[in-house]
Amino acid sequence: MKRILALSVLALSAMAAPKTVKQPFGAVDGQEIFLYTLTNTAGMEVKITNYGGTVTSIKAPDRNKKFADVVLGFDSLDGYTAKTNTGHFGALIGRYGNRLARGIFKLNGHTYNVPVNDGPNSLHGGLRGFDRRVWRAKEVSSDDGPGLELRYVSQDGEEGFPGKLDVTVRYTLDNKNALHIDYSATTNKDTVLNLTNHTYFNLGGAGSGSILHERLMLNADRFTPVDNTL
């Protein structure tokens, strides 16, 4: 009886260990795509694919330790690659998140023109931004928890932007149930850069209904005013 109990405790301990699991998720333009599942010691789970660096699922506990998937997305790669996916669900955004008015910016006395893809403006990096690129993935871990490092090299002139840009994004799921996203980039020319993640959250869990009754307050010192085209 004591031996059975000891084995059960060991089994439970093994299940609680942080881990990263890699599995096939399809292919894009002949390149194999993978889905990485990060699980911490508390059982929280984050799924990320190297297509667009996309967060496809975050299963997190509420105050009663009930787990639910609190982000929106698709069940398969097809949903993310479809032209109808204009919402950039869960993806990494670049080179430039948000809108560049009329697809124009000036840098060092030179005027650059980038693709217009949102009314009169350029949105989220142009016609094929970082959300539709295949990233090179490497599993990483630390004392804080499991992690995934993604790297993409954007060539000089890609989508009209200057400079060869080497971007690294590291996702870390710590054992206190926080997901960290750390961005870094180097370039061989002056350029503009605004990296972000485009995950949509519903803290009640997927399928729990609208979030339009919820309120969010940002303690910001500044904000950017916009016109009627945003």
Side-chain angles (χ1 to χ4, degrees):
M1 189 68 177
K2 289 182 179 178
R3 289 181 181 176
I4 294 174
L5 179 60
L7 288 172
S8 298
V9 171
L10 287 172
L12 288 172
S13 298
M15 290 177 62
K19 62 181 179 180
T20 301
V21 176
K22 174 184 176 182
Q23 64 189 86
F25 198 53
V28 172
D29 297 331
Q31 299 182 77
E32 192 170 8
I33 306 301
F34 295 96
L35 186 67
Y36 297 83
T37 303
L38 281 56
T39 307
N40 68 5
T41 56
M44 182 173 165
E45 178 186 281
V46 177
K47 292 181 181 289
I48 304 162
T49 174
N50 64 315
Y51 178 75
T54 303
V55 175
T56 67
S57 171
I58 298 179
K59 292 182 180 177
D62 63 13
R63 69 188 68 182
N64 298 315
K65 300 184 185 292
K66 180 181 177 181
F67 283 80
D69 187 355
V70 297
V71 302
L72 304 184
F74 303 99
D75 294 328
S76 69
L77 180 61
D78 290 343
Y80 295 100
T81 59
K83 291 183 179 180
T84 53
N85 176 26
T86 57
H88 310 273
F89 284 89
L92 294 176
I93 301 298
R95 289 188 183 192
Y96 202 89
N98 212 343
R99 292 162 179 84
L100 290 168
R102 299 178 301 283
I104 297 172
F105 67 90
K106 294 182 179 181
L107 183 65
N108 296 337
H110 182 81
T111 299
Y112 291 90
N113 293 277
V114 293
V116 170
N117 62 336
D118 184 70
N121 307 314
S122 179
L123 176 68
H124 294 341
L127 299 175
R128 189 183 174 200
F130 288 179
D131 60 306
R132 291 189 179 270
R133 303 286 178 173
V134 179
W135 293 64
R136 191 165 66 206
K138 180 174 69 173
E139 298 174 40
V140 295
S141 61
S142 67
D143 293 339
D144 295 327
L148 183 69
E149 184 177 278
L150 299 172
R151 184 183 177 195
Y152 176 70
V153 178
S154 176
Q155 298 299 326
D156 184 15
E158 183 177 286
E159 294 294 314
F161 292 93
K164 181 180 179 181
L165 188 75
D166 191 339
V167 184
T168 300
V169 179
R170 177 176 285 208
Y171 289 98
T172 304
L173 175 61
D174 73 23
N175 293 317
K176 296 181 180 179
N177 287 351
L179 177 63
H180 304 262
I181 310 177
D182 297 298
Y183 307 84
S184 63
T186 58
T187 179
N188 62 357
K189 290 182 183 179
D190 288 351
T191 190
V192 295
L193 183 67
N194 187 27
L195 302 172
T196 190
N197 175 274
H198 212 286
T199 294
Y200 295 84
F201 289 86
N202 184 339
L203 299 184
S208 64
S210 171
I211 65 166
L212 295 182
H213 63 284
E214 298 178 11
R215 293 186 178 185
L216 172 69
M217 183 176 70
L218 301 177
N219 289 316
D221 295 322
R222 297 176 176 86
F223 69 93
T224 302
V226 295
D227 62 17
N228 59 1
T229 70
L230 300 180

